[in-house]
Amino acid sequence: DAGVTQSPTHLIKTRGQQVTLRCSPKSGHDTVSWYQQALGQGPQFIFQYYEEEERQRGNFPDRFSGHQFPNYSSELNVNALLLGDSALYLCASSLADRGQGYTFGSGTRLTVV
Amino acid sequence: QQQVKQSPQSLIVQKGGIPIINCAYENTAFDYFPWYQQFPGKGPALLIAIRPDVSEKKEGRFTISFNKSAKQFSLHIMDSQPGDSATYFCAASLKSGTYKYIFGTGTRLKVLA
């Protein structure tokens, strides 16, 4: 049973560019959340998608946007990249309203130069 | 009020020792408290979680102690092994864990052989 799959694993972008990160949730999960983890810090919540709608959002600017597809997979888009956007981006999936904890993927390491 | 404070920042113990990691929260509405283990280059993995209606929960060598009145909870790792060397994060959530997670800043644990 595959867990949460994220792609790509590593990415280098130039300041001002746009980036799209992808996530496939664990089989049977229908909710996808995205977190940003800066080096040496705990993950920070970006947003959560359920039934193709953004259900919750953290304190991130509108440059961060997302999408969930009918097969529950999800994308995170970041526009106008800043150096400070360099981080590990984690996707986590869960089954809505079951409270059984998130399953995290291994993340995408984004470096903005 | 949304913060989760975690201590210590780092911890070194001998093999067989019992490292203890502490977390404190302010928001009494939190009702789900998971602990995650993260190895370098990997996403966080759920270790154990507790709800505020119990004071202690054990799963294998991992134990959570929960003090609702003090708004504190802690992770104990019994008979620690070098393979337990990782970064540990506590977190708190609303709505039985279906809501966003607020993570602590992490504790880097090293278990000496």
Side-chain angles (χ1 to χ4, degrees):
Chain A
D1 181 21
V4 177
T5 304
Q6 292 188 242
S7 64
T9 55
H10 295 84
L11 201 52
I12 299 175
K13 288 287 190 178
T14 303
R15 189 171 48 183
Q17 285 188 316
Q18 179 263 346
V19 68
T20 297
L21 310 181
R22 295 177 174 81
C23 172
S24 293
K26 182 179 178 179
S27 178
H29 285 181
D30 57 7
T31 302
V32 172
S33 301
W34 287 91
Y35 286 79
Q36 180 195 66
Q37 186 176 23
L39 204 60
Q41 299 295 316
Q44 298 288 318
F45 177 75
I46 302 175
F47 41 55
Q48 184 183 81
Y49 277 84
Y50 172 67
E51 293 188 339
E52 303 179 50
E53 298 279 337
E54 183 183 285
R55 188 162 74 162
Q56 305 171 44
R57 189 177 181 91
N59 295 324
F60 280 79
D62 292 344
R63 298 187 297 108
F64 289 77
S65 63
H67 190 79
Q68 185 179 34
F69 299 94
N71 67 352
Y72 307 120
S73 67
S74 177
E75 289 182 347
L76 164 66
N77 301 291
V78 186
N79 295 320
L81 285 167
L82 303 173
L83 297 179
D85 295 331
S86 296
L88 180 68
Y89 287 85
L90 296 163
C91 173
S93 71
S94 58
L95 189 58
D97 304 326
R98 294 294 292 272
Q100 294 175 341
Y102 292 163
T103 299
F104 280 86
S106 293
T108 294
R109 172 69 63 185
L110 172 65
T111 302
V112 182
V113 298
Chain B
Q1 211 183 21
Q2 288 293 318
Q3 282 188 331
V4 176
K5 296 182 179 179
Q6 184 172 348
S7 63
Q9 186 174 359
S10 63
L11 193 53
I12 300 175
V13 300
Q14 295 286 338
K15 177 183 174 181
I18 305 176
I20 300 172
I21 304 170
N22 301 298
C23 285
Y25 63 96
E26 288 295 323
N27 188 348
T28 55
F30 286 142
D31 61 4
Y32 183 78
F33 303 88
W35 283 91
Y36 279 81
Q37 178 190 58
Q38 187 175 28
F39 293 104
K42 299 293 185 182
L46 179 65
L47 273 177
I48 186 172
I50 198 168
R51 301 181 194 280
D53 53 344
V54 298
S55 60
E56 185 176 277
K57 183 175 181 180
K58 293 182 181 180
E59 285 189 9
R61 295 185 294 109
F62 301 96
T63 299
I64 299 179
S65 297
F66 189 85
N67 186 329
K68 187 174 181 178
S69 61
K71 292 183 285 185
Q72 296 175 347
F73 58 109
S74 60
L75 175 71
H76 298 60
I77 305 175
M78 306 303 176
D79 187 27
S80 59
Q81 302 296 314
D84 296 328
S85 298
T87 300
Y88 292 81
F89 293 95
C90 63
S93 180
L94 301 170
K95 300 183 182 180
S96 299
T98 61
Y99 204 63
K100 64 182 180 183
Y101 285 9
I102 307 298
F103 281 89
T105 50
T107 296
R108 183 172 291 183
L109 172 66
K110 186 173 180 63
V111 181
L112 302 176

